[in-house]
Structure formats: structure tokens, C-alpha cells
Amino acid sequence: MTIENFINNPINEIEKIIGNVSVNEVYSFQEPNIPDIFKNKFSNEEDIEKIPILNKSSFKSLKSGTLIRFPCMIQDNGIDSELYSLFHLVKDKNTNEQKVKFFKYQDQINNSDYEYLDSENVQTFRDRQLVYCINIPGHNSWAKEKNNYQNTEEEKEKNYKTINEKFPIKSEDNFGAIIKIYDIDNANDLKLNTVFEFIGILEYNEQQEVQQSFDNFEENMLTSYPIPHVHALYWNKIENNSNPTVDLIKKQLTDEKVIKDTRNEIVEYLSNRFDGDNLIAEYILYNLVSRIYSRVDSLPVGKFSLNICNVKSTEQSNEIYKLIQNIVPKSHYLSLEHKKINSKRLAPSMNCIESLEQGIGLISGELQLTDGTVLVVDETTMQEGKIENTGVMNISILGDLFQNQKITYDFNYHTIEFPADLNLIVLSEAKSKLFPCDCIIPLNNLTNINQDKNIDEGLLNKIRGFIDVMKIADYEIDQELANNISKEFVEKRAAQSKGKTDYTKKILGQDDLLYQLNLARLHTLSHGQTHLTKEFWENTKNLEEQRQKRLDDYVKDKAKNLKTNKTQNPLR
Amino acid sequence: MSQNNPFSSGSNPNILSSEADPNTNDVEMVTNSQRSVRSSSPLIFGSNSEMDRMRSSPPPQFRQSDLLRSTLGSNLGSGPGSMLDSQSSARRISSSSRRVRGDMGIGPYPQLDRLLKSGGLNSDANNQNPTSELTSEIVTTKRYIWGTTLVVAEASKMFEDFLLNFTMADRIRAMREEDPTVNIEIKPEHEQPFYFPRILKEMNELKIYNLNLNCQNLKSYKKSLPLYHQLIRYPQEIIPIMDHVLTEKLAENSDEYTPIHALVRPYNIGESINMRNLNPSDIDQLVTIKGLLIRVSPIIPDLQTAFFCCSNCDYSMTVDIDRGKIAEPVKCPNDACRASNSMRLIHNRCIYSDKQIWRLQETPDEIPDGQTPHSVSLCCYEDLVDTAKPGDRLEITGVFRAIPVRVNPRQHTIKQLFKTYIDIVHVKHSSSKRISIDENLIGENEAVVKHDEEDNLKSINEEEEKNLINLSQNPDIYERLAASLAPSIFGMEDVKKGVLLQLFGGVNRFTGENGSPRIRGDINVLIVGDPGVSKSQLLQYVHKIAPRGIYTSGKGSSAVGLTASVTRDPETRQLVLESGALVLSDGGVCCIDEFDKMSDATRSILHEVMEQQTVSIAKAGIITTLNARTSILACANPIDSKYNEKLTIVQNINLPPTLMSRFDLLYLILDKPNEFDDRKLAQHIVNLYISKNGINFGNEIIPVEIFSKYISYARNHVHPVINDEAAEKLVKNYSELRQSNSISNRHGEQKTVAATTRQLESMIRLSEAHARMRLSNIVEVGDVDEAYRLIRTAMQSSAIDPVTGRIDMDLINTGFSSRRRSQNANLQKQLLEIINSIDKPSVRLSELHRIFNEDGAAEAISDIEFTRILDNLADDGEILFDKRSQIIRKLIR
């Protein structure tokens, strides 16, 4: 019962556990808890790492029937559940005897060894749920776990097709599989767009053909497609998506001094990229550390979308994106070219008619991303032109996302809103009118984006680890400080309304207070702390003033430039 | 329906234990090994012969087929038609009894079959054994169907008893036992037997032999309670038994000679199951599920009787389908020929029955968090085919089945998988809260197929009609109905009245041959207001109650989505038009939220829809005009999201005046914080959350079912005509309306929406709707007045202060009448006199108020009032009113 046996031939092991079952015992059979047995077997980290990871490259060399790990995102969980029978009667071709075979966790029998017999006597129906999962979209290459599996098989070209409509982002690594869940009671936490790691038995069929029609009671279209199936034994939810090296570093972040130093290093690193601009570095750090930590009355608390304006060109925005890609595990770059926006819907939808052309099940869209992905929207890619119906819808979907962190999925006769938790950054030339962000900060005019010539992996890993840890950290304000803050707010409001009313300036409102509190939280977290102190609060206010000043200067400059342009060409 | 896993107990009800007789296509009996889940499916899979691939289901009742068979005249073998019984009724029954409904899967068991044929169900099976074809088997008194606790004779006796003796009183008594708060009276007519002889008569007259059986009736009749449970557990056996009993009874009492076969369609068995909870223990049981229909396949012909012709001698014969298989004759039966393998299938002369496959998706409210909707496949037969279309919400009762999936012989590895689906027994269009289709809308060349869904063969019988008419005699029916509309929304009475009249609608007129086909009777309503005043809630409510209501949001709609889009049909590969929201709500109410955020292109379509009630489409080679006879209920936010009182109404609502004039009623709802109102509203909302089962809003509220029945009755039966006095009043009101709007402010801009002839038409429609609401066939002066009042309130004409030109919302909210306004003018004069009589050049507000209240006014006025009067004076240039320091200065002239 070695580990290797469990990995290479788990079906065999299961059969050994079940033992021999005779025809009479079939209906009174008590099933042992196989997932628990496997869980216990693979209880320590080393053993778990021995299980091969399933992805596009490793699939080429994995044999059907191996135990695998599949870290993935749930793309579609609206597939009909399947009925199967626990037991089947088969005839062993070698020994020519009949026996009852336990048929859970596998769908196929090897034709050379076994022959199928009429199993009506032993039919015991159970049902299982199907979930379609794909590789994590936007997963940056540094974050992926390297496969440790020693494989003796040579690589074969498997008969495997990708259903392009079911992947949000086009990528070489796109890989999808159907996961069969046997434990239906716990299947409620398998929500859409969440990341799980499934441990189960891989199964695929070499010569599978696709059935076309719906009208007959053929197999479900998706299950008859040549994609691999995984019979899931158990699963874990994955919170962060970094690789193990980073995880190690995270564990080292306990010492106060280490935290402070790391924080300074991070700001230095980021500001070096922006020609020494500390302010931008701070705000970018805030954005990367933010997440939605509660939803009150459909108001997402904790959202912090950032608009970096004064971006001169698309090349600059590409540079900025490359920078971000290196430090967060999941990110995606959304360009807004006309052709793209006008043709494909950004949010997922479902057709009533399933066909190969129209898409099967839930058709994905670029916004079907997991929580915590950094979405960089590049407005500089928008050119002049006409936006048609789909384009309008896409812009409104994006607007909804920015305002409420919700994405509307279209199900033909009705729509459903799914909550999202993406870190939003907009890169634009002027202040973005299309995508109202919480915080706008302009780049300094002479900024070049310096890419890191000699990438120091160690430093990068520290940064990545720090951001990961602070993202899921808790946060508290103690009551006294909270009272002070609210007193301050009320006083400020009163002062504003009493003083000479400048109608252009808005009176401090509810939204402003929320924003300030959020910013304070992010500031605290970015320092690796979990408690707000007076010092941090004051710092936040200072930073905000600096940003506001810079923004005002920028706006003034722009207006001046416009004017000077006008005077230069009086004929225009 | 508590079940242990029936599979584990080893009982497979489909297994019988008698020998097979392959040669005759008589009642066949099968061995254990041949019967399996596989063959009990209506669709067969197997690789034996051609016939098997024809995927036929067992023959359903198909009355005509009997006649056809006799005309075909061929040698039917030992078909039951040849069995001539002396009793005519027996003949009629037995000829069709062999054929069982498609939705029951494989036919009845040979035992049952034999019993039915011999007519030996109602009496002791011992006594009757007439025909020679039956093998002489010992017939015992109690015959069970294998694997069940069903005694055939008992079951049919129970059902017969139920049919003859069930009364509504039983049902009411049972309801009372369950829930003591139910207080329905038992009237003498409830003591009459419910089913016979009434149903009998109606069925024979209408020649529709479907009985929609409400299973709650079955449950509440004490003696048939075990039958109810057996029905749910063994529907495949019980339903044919019920069919047989009903057929017999009908046959006994009818004079005709044509064979009939009655179908029993049970529904309302109890709680409906969530689609996700269907699991293997429900297989072969009767279940109810609710959902949204998303896909309907084309009609599939199901082979029932195959027609074979010998290629040698041209001898022909027919073979019935039996248990899903058609036995292809190996040898030609003609004695002269006897060629083997020479029989060809002639498909033109085969007899088919209809089958259709539906796909039902979970309703959006049932979907758990973070999941996409699941769907389930359904199979319907015969009469139920095409009774629903995609987009309908349905409640389906049927038998849950599992069949094995086809094994691909070309694969090297074999899979054994099963697919589940439901055989439909009864279809109910969900929610009786929705009003049925307005018959007025049906033009001359259109036909609407009505499908009976429930027990009552008439939708509203006389008693209910009397009730409704009584209800309408109530003097305050108008207020009651308005209050019952969206009772959970507090206030907004005028808006509710407007929406109520919209649901009733004016009278549609057909002008006949040429030109515009219709004069519309639909009323369109626009609600503009500050956020947070439950506009959207009102829309949702109307959407729920209105027939064919579509709810769309302005932001999310495109021009194409509203009208019709061109897509490619995946099956026929042709370009087809798919209706958009407006076309789908034909005959109903289209609720549009966020109207102002709709793009202009989208809004331009509404121009045409609202006036001509049609949608013109010219795209992709399809040039046509579709009907969109819908009322539009739209809701918008003012520009700046909060109503800016400094701007005029036209500027606030960012809609072109042309579009605004197409709306009959335009409501403006402001959110003014007012302590008294807010407290009441808060209390109301809190109460909503406290009370658990059904909020009792008071006796005044009319429940939803009656409400919709009332509206439905009014729309179908009442067509009011305007009488002379009303006509005169209309003209007078219209001219008044025109005049009042010619006020413009100092800059000469038009501040309000001017009245056009559209307003006159609106008034006509509103008065007709009001008359319809009273169930009166004549439009009277009172109706016209009410319509006029509604229009004026909606148009804010009564709220415009002619002096300042600003809208003063207090006037609307507090309901000032014009009498009050003229009073205000007097008060103003008085106040001015008082101010002028004071010696000091300036006076404080509070002092002035005191003086005023003591001396001048006949009634004390509130602070707000006072301030307003002062404002007016200030605007007139009579005084200087400094609000901040609360000082009034006289202006020296």
C-alpha cells in the first residue's frame, strides 16, 4: 500500500479496500469512506507534492487512471447531474468468471480484461454532480507550482480539444476538465468562479466522438466532448495562488523589523520603477492589498479602484502591466479595442440551445475571473469609432463592475448578478470618465517606466509574499479612535456648511468618510499592521492631501495647455 | 412519499414472472431477464434490428387509430379489435385498453391487461372469464401487481367511489382540519358530487376526454387516501387503472358508438420538488417541479403502428408497437407466398403519435448562491405537445425516469451511464396570479389555442361572476383596488390608481379594413422620482401580476433586444427572428426600469410602439411589422439623480417632450424628509419584517387571486361606451387643460408639458378604464372627472404656482385643492396689509407670525405655509425676506 501505488493505480487500491462483494450483498452494502482513507494517506505535505498536477503540459504524459491534483477555477456548474450504478456485473476475461465490480470513481472498463454483462440484478443507482473546471485564468507564470511528478511515460498527443468559448482568456495553457463530484452534500461550497484543488482519479477516453444533438436522450453534450474527466475524491479551497517558495517567505514575516524593512523595500522598488515617485508607489500598493471584506446592502465595503491617469501611450501602460504581473499571482490586462468590444460579451452568458457553434453551457467572458485577480483596464487602447450594441452593453457591464463589484450574467430569459472581487486599475490619458474610480492619481509628466533589468528573485518573492499575507489579514479599529474620527468628520462638515459656501466644492459626505476609512485601512495593512493608530490616520490624511494637490495641478496644467493650444491656432 | 431506497429492497416493479409467448402479438408475458430498466423506457436502445432503432414508445390512446385500423382492413392478428364482445361498451374499452399512454412507459402488465380486457375489474375477477384467448389460469380474488402493494381491484373500486361521491365539502373539511384558520363556508352546492354527473356531461359535450385530477381532492376524500399514496409511488400502474375506470363510466353513460379513451391527468400532488433534489429514490414516482421553459424541440413522430408490405406478393400487414419494440415479421404471412425476409416497411402508411422534448430550467429565485441554473429534460406526448412556449413559467407533474444512455459500439471501452428525464402528465402555467390573455386582442385572422389546465372546465363560473359583480357594486371599490395593488408599498395612492387603470386598460377598437388597424386602448405610465421611493418595487409587482409581463432595465436593453433580433436557427440553419421584450409582452405590460438611462436609439423604438403598437423590422432580408400591443410602465430618475427644484419639469426629466407626451400619465415622486411621514413609513416597513406568515394588511385588501380574476373578467366582458354627458364633459375638461398650460415663465420658455390631443385620447382611455373597473358598460361623468383629476395631478398642472413658475410639491403631497390656493392669495393680501401697517422698517419672522395669527387669519397657518406666503410676497417685490436672519423688511416704494 505504498504511496506510489496509490498514485499510479488508485482504482486497484480502492478495489482492495472494498474487497469482494457477492451479488446478494449488493443491496445491503455499506460503503467505506474512501475519501477519508485517501485523505489520511496523503496527510503530510511531502506526500501531497508527489501527486502530479494536472495541466495542459502534464496531461500529455499522464495515464488514464492516475491520481492527480487539479488546481482550477469552477467555470460552469450548471451541468445536469448524472445517474450511475454502484455495481456492475462483469466477466473477467482472464479467469472467465463473473464478478461484481465496484464502479464508483470510474466509468470505463478495460475491454481487454473485462466483458460487460447484463447488470440488472445489481443495479444500485446513485447520482453525482458534474462541474466543469478550467485552469486559473490570469495565473502568472511565476506563481504556478512546478510539477514534481516523475513520469516514465513518454508524451503522447492525446485526442483533446479545447472548447474556446469556455475560457475567459486566450492562453496557451488553457485546459479544462469535467469533475465528477460524488459527495453531493458538501458540494454547496462549489460556487462559480472559486478556486479549488481537486484530488481525484483522471480518466479520459481516446476515441471519443462528439454527439451533435440535443433532442435525443444521448449523453450530455459536454460529457461527450473529448475532454478529460476527473473523479473527485476530495477537494480543498485555495485562498492564495502563489507557489510554494513564496509560501515559505510568508511564514518568515513575523518579526516587526522584518515587516518594516520589507515594506520599505517594496515602496522603494515600486517607486524606482516610476522614476522615484513615492506617491504612486503607495497608492499602487494600496490597491494591490485591497479586497472586499463585506457587502452591506449591496454596497461593497473595501473596494478601492485606482485610476492612473496621464499615461502617455499604450507602451507605457504595457510597461505598467508588466510590472504588476511580476508581483501579483493573478492578473489580467483588458484592452478596449473597438473590434473586440463590439463583438464579444465581456460577461458570461448561457444559450438555451447548446451546439458546437453557439457554445455549450455557460459561455465564458473576459470578466469571468477569480476573486483577487488584478484587472488592469487600458483606456489608451480605445480609439475613435462607433460602439455598437454589444459594445454598449460591455461598457455598462464594466461600469457596474466598477461601481458595485457585480457582474451580470445573461441567461436568455433572465439575468443573474454575481458578486466579484477584483482589484481594479484603470490606465488612462486623462481622468477616466467611463469608469468612475475611487481614487485618481496622475503620473508625473516626466516619468519613464523603468523595467527591472536584473530581476532579483529574492526581493520579488518577498514582495509577493508580503502582498499575499496582508491581503487576507484582519483589521481592527478600536472604539476610541473610531469616535474621534467621527467627531472630526462632523466638525468638518459643520465648518464647511457655515463657512462661505463655495458651490463648486462639495460638502463632505457619507462617501468621503467611507473612502477615508478605507484608505486608512489599506495604509495600515500596507505597513503590515492590523490596528489603526492615530499616526496612520494622520499619515493617510497627508497622503490624500498630496494626491489631491497633484490632481489639481494636473487638471490646471491640462486646462492651460488647452488654452495655449487655442491661442496658438486662432484660426481653428 | 417517504421511501427507503426502493432499489435496495430488491423490488423492481417492472418485473413479472410469467412465461413469454413470442409469436402472437397478443398480450405477451415476459421473463425476468428480458424486462429491465432498459426496456421499460419509451425509447429503446439496442442493436438488434432495424425496428429497435425506431425508438418508439408504447402506443398511447389514439382514438382515431381504431377507425384507421379497421379501414386498413388487414389481418390484425389477434388484435383486440377482433374480439367482438356482445357489450358495446366493453368493445370500446377493450379495443383501446391495450394501448397505453405514452407517458406511462411500457404498457400495463399482462395481468392488468388481461383484467382490463376481460372487463373483470369492477366485479370479482372470478366471475368473468369470457374470451377464449386467455389461458385458463387460476384467478384469485386478490391480485397484486408484482413488487407493489397494489391490489388492482381495490384501487379501481376506490377510484370509482371517489369519482361518484367526492364533494367539495370533503375538500373544505380537510382544509379546515389542516389549518383551523381557514374559514370557507360549506354551502349547499358544495355537497353535490363534484365529478359526476357534471364532468360526464361536459366531457361528452365537448368531446374532450381529459380529466385534470386535483390530487388534493383525492387526498381529502377519506376513503381514497391510500389511492393517493399509491398514485405517487406507482403512477405507472395507477394511472392506467384510473383511465380505465373513467372510460368505463363515460362509456356507460354516453350514447355514441365511437370508441373513447379517457385520460386522467393528476396534478397538485403536494409540494413541488426543487430540481436539484431529484435523486435516484424518486425514479418512477410522480413528482412536481416548477421552472422556466427554455427550449422546445420540434414535434417528433413516434411510431405506433408499422405497416409492412411484402415485396414479393404485395401482401400488407400492420404491426403494433409492443413494449417499445415492433416485431418485424420474418416470414410473409400470406400462405401463397411464404417468402422470408421480404417484408418492407412503408413509412407513409405507418401511424405515428406526437412527441416533443422540452427543457425546463430552474426559476431564478430558486437558484442557490453562486450557482448557475440547472435544467431537466421533459418528454411530452399527444395533447400536451405545443401547449407551452419557451419563456413560460410552468409547474409540471410527471413521472421521473431513468434510461440508459446509448452505448457506442465503436468505442473500445464501455460506459454505463443513465440519463434522467420526466414524462409529463400535466402542465400548469404557473401562478394563477397572472391574468389570462385578453380576448379583445385577438384579431380576426388569429387564433389562440386554449389549453385546459385545471379542474374547472370553465375559468370563471357563475358563482364567482356574481361575487365579482357584487364586489364592483361597492362604492369604494376604486380605493380598495388601488390599495390592494402592491400593498407592501406605502403611500403613492395616485400612482397606484394610475397603474390600476393601466391594468384595466381602455377599449381596443378595430376600425376594420383599411388604414390603421387599431385604435389602441393601452395606457402608458411614466413614473419619475428620487431614488429610494420604491418605484422599482412597484414595477416588480406589476410585472408579477400582469399577463405576459416583461421586465427590462433601460441600461441593459438595446434597440434590438427590445424589438426583435435576427439569429440563425441551429437546426434549420435559416435566419429567424427572435422576439425581443416588447414583442414578447404583446397583450401585457412591459415594465421598463431606468428609463432615462436608455440610449436614444432604444428609446426611438418606443415612439412607434407606444403610438402604433407595432414594431417595424427591416434587417437581414426580413422586412416585416410585428404586433406589440403592450402597455408600457416606465420608471426614471431625474437628471442629477435627485429632483432639482430649481429646474422645470421638462429639464429635470431628461426625455424629449415628444416621448413624454406619449405617456398618458406622468408621475413625479419626491423624497422629502418629513418626520411624520417618515415615521409612518418606517413603522410600516418594520412591520413587514416582523410578521411571518402572510401580512394581513387589513380587511380592505382584496387578495391577489380575486384581484386578477376581477381584472380578467373586466377585460373580457366589459366594454364601456361613452354616453353624451360624459362626452361633453370630456370636451370641456380638455379645453381647460389646454388653457392652463399656456403659462410660461419670464423668459418665455415653456415650463411644462403642453396638452395635446394625445391627452384627450388619454382621458378617454382612462375614463373607459375607470368604467371598466366598475364593471359598468357606460362611461359616465364621474369616470371622466376621475380621469381628468388623474391627468392633472400627473401633469403637475395643479402644482405649478403661476406666480413663481416653480413646482411646489407640498401642494401635491398635502392635497391642496384650488380652493386652498385661492385662499392663499387672500392670505397674502392680508399679510401684506399687516406688514405695511407695522411702523418699524423691519420685523422678525416669529413676531410677524404671532401678529398674523392673532389678528388676521381665520385659521392658524403653519410655519411652512407662512414662509411660503412670505416667499411669494418677496418674489412679487413687495418685501425683502432674509431667511437666514429671519427678518422681514419693507420695501419703500
Side-chain angles (χ1 to χ4, degrees), chain B residues 410-426:
Chain B
R410 281 173 284 181
Q411 286 182 337
H412 284 223
T413 50
I414 300 173
K415 287 200 203 187
Q416 270 291 316
L417 286 176
F418 300 87
K419 184 95 168 76
T420 58
Y421 69 99
I422 296 185
D423 269 335
I424 302 182
V425 160
H426 181 269

Side-chain angles (χ1 to χ4, degrees), chain B residues 420-436:
Chain B
T420 58
Y421 69 99
I422 296 185
D423 269 335
I424 302 182
V425 160
H426 181 269
V427 173
K428 179 165 171 212
H429 289 262
S430 212
S431 178
S432 55
K433 299 183 187 132
R434 284 184 161 228
I435 314 172
S436 51

Side-chain angles (χ1 to χ4, degrees), chain A residues 27 77-78 80 83 88 107 109 111 116 120 123 125-128 191-192 214-215 217 219 353 411 413-414, chain B residues 7-8 35-37 43 297 357 359 361 364 370-372 374-375 390 402 405 412 414 416-418 570:
Chain A
Y27 292 112
N77 54 12
D80 294 349
L83 213 59
H88 285 281
D107 280 340
I109 48 172
N111 217 15
Y116 208 72
E120 205 205 324
Q123 236 160 29
F125 283 124
R126 299 280 184 272
D127 59 338
R128 63 187 174 204
K191 300 205 169 126
L192 206 62
F214 145 79
D215 288 336
F217 289 115
E219 268 185 81
I353 303 170
F411 289 102
Y413 291 102
H414 58 96
Chain B
F7 309 102
S8 53
R35 304 267 305 200
S36 64
V37 175
L43 310 175
S297 77
I357 301 190
R359 196 115 169 109
Q361 195 184 62
Q371 310 274 349
T372 44
H374 275 205
S375 346
V405 168
H412 284 223
I414 300 173
Q416 270 291 316
L417 286 176
F418 300 87

Side-chain angles (χ1 to χ4, degrees), chain B residues 564-833:
Chain B
S565 58
V566 173
T567 49
R568 212 173 259 285
D569 190 27
E571 293 137 5
T572 60
R573 308 242 146 248
Q574 285 180 332
L575 291 170
V576 291
L577 265 183
E578 245 179 55
S579 335
L582 289 176
V583 181
L584 280 178
S585 55
D586 188 23
V589 178
C590 183
C591 305
I592 306 180
D593 210 351
E594 316 264 8
F595 197 58
D596 50 320
K597 304 207 174 44
M598 207 177 245
S599 64
D600 277 336
T602 322
R603 273 208 289 263
S604 57
I605 298 173
L606 289 176
H607 282 265
E608 187 190 343
V609 171
M610 287 168 73
E611 213 38 61
Q612 277 100 25
Q613 307 261 282
T614 55
V615 160
S616 311
I617 300 180
K619 54 174 101 172
I622 304 180
I623 302 179
T624 176
T625 317
L626 294 173
N627 281 326
R629 299 163 286 207
T630 134
S631 314
I632 295 186
L633 174 61
C635 135
N637 286 323
I639 202 169
D640 289 349
S641 265
K642 190 155 164 42
Y643 196 82
N644 191 340
E645 293 184 7
K646 298 202 175 66
L647 301 176
T648 65
I649 189 169
V650 178
Q651 287 172 322
N652 257 304
I653 312 172
N654 186 23
L655 289 176
T658 49
L659 193 57
M660 284 221 290
S661 71
R662 278 178 162 84
F663 280 101
D664 299 297
L665 290 174
L666 206 161
Y667 286 109
L668 194 53
I669 304 180
L670 294 190
D671 185 19
K672 275 223 161 162
N674 172 334
E675 202 199 327
F676 181 67
D677 283 337
D678 289 343
R679 198 178 305 169
K680 270 206 112 175
L681 177 62
Q683 238 175 10
H684 176 89
I685 295 181
V686 169
N687 283 339
L688 272 179
Y689 284 108
I690 291 180
S691 50
K692 286 171 225 161
N693 340 317
I695 305 157
N696 189 15
F697 287 106
N699 293 330
E700 298 295 309
I701 306 293
I702 300 173
V704 188
E705 281 83 22
I706 300 187
F707 194 179
S708 56
K709 280 212 186 91
Y710 189 87
I711 295 182
S712 167
Y713 180 76
R715 283 184 85 130
N716 284 333
H717 295 256
V718 179
H719 307 290
V721 179
I722 308 180
N723 68 8
D724 296 329
E725 305 157 333
E728 267 183 47
K729 196 79 201 305
L730 273 172
V731 173
K732 206 170 102 190
N733 284 342
Y734 175 61
S735 26
E736 265 181 46
L737 204 62
R738 285 285 279 182
Q739 284 170 1
S740 72
N741 273 321
S742 59
I743 303 169
S744 44
N745 70 1
R746 283 164 258 180
H747 305 286
E749 291 164 4
Q750 202 171 24
K751 294 184 280 82
T752 59
V753 182
T756 60
T757 34
R758 286 211 179 102
Q759 261 67 41
L760 175 61
E761 281 191 332
S762 305
M763 240 194 304
I764 297 177
R765 280 192 284 267
L766 283 170
S767 25
E768 282 174 351
H770 194 268
R772 199 176 241 177
M773 189 238 3
R774 286 183 304 119
L775 293 185
S776 137
N777 271 314
I778 308 174
V779 179
E780 299 169 2
V781 179
D783 300 324
V784 178
D785 283 336
E786 177 62 23
Y788 182 59
R789 183 192 75 84
L790 275 176
I791 292 190
R792 290 209 72 163
T793 28
M795 279 181 60
Q796 311 303 305
S797 357
S798 48
I800 303 228
D801 198 332
V803 180
T804 59
R806 290 215 202 108
I807 296 180
D808 199 329
M809 282 323 291
D810 280 342
L811 279 174
I812 289 301
N813 286 343
T814 58
F816 276 14
S817 60
S818 46
R819 175 191 74 95
R820 189 70 171 174
R821 266 194 294 132
S822 57
Q823 234 187 20
N824 280 349
N826 287 338
L827 282 172
Q828 250 178 268
K829 251 193 265 168
Q830 273 181 322
L831 189 58
L832 191 56
E833 280 174 22

Side-chain angles (χ1 to χ4, degrees), chain B residues 86-94 248 251-252 257:
Chain B
S86 49
Q87 284 178 314
S88 55
S89 59
R91 175 196 176 189
R92 260 179 284 146
I93 303 167
S94 41
E248 259 192 4
E252 275 170 14
Y257 209 59

